[in-house]
Amino acid sequence: MNVGLRIRQELKAQGRTARWLADQIPCERTNVYKIFKRKDLDTKLLQRLCVLLDYDFFKELSKETFGEKATAK
């Protein structure tokens, strides 16, 4: 999973902008676009983005790694 791309997709699905996310983190908007290009992120940043977007990217990563058995536990 390209986590940066998934973050961008989820942000768009929620009708939010890169400016909104930059204000929440807080950082410059250009840094948000850099996040979108990254294939991986450190866990603290990903955790913060999960909370801000109310979406569990960790579950998606786990499902990709372990398949359906990851959600059975």
Side-chain angles (χ1 to χ4, degrees), residues 2-53:
N2 182 325
V3 73
L5 179 60
R6 280 298 298 126
I7 291 164
R8 185 177 197 168
Q9 291 169 340
E10 185 59 31
L11 193 68
K12 185 177 180 178
Q14 292 184 17
R16 299 182 189 272
T17 65
R19 164 59 48 209
W20 175 87
L21 187 57
D23 289 343
Q24 301 306 305
I25 292 179
C27 71
E28 295 293 322
R29 188 174 43 116
T30 55
N31 289 339
V32 171
Y33 288 112
K34 289 177 185 177
I35 289 171
F36 294 159
K37 292 179 182 179
R38 294 174 62 182
K39 293 185 182 200
D40 53 39
L41 296 174
D42 70 71
T43 55
K44 279 293 197 191
L45 177 56
L46 187 57
Q47 181 182 29
R48 183 164 173 83
L49 293 171
C50 287
V51 170
L52 289 171
L53 295 172

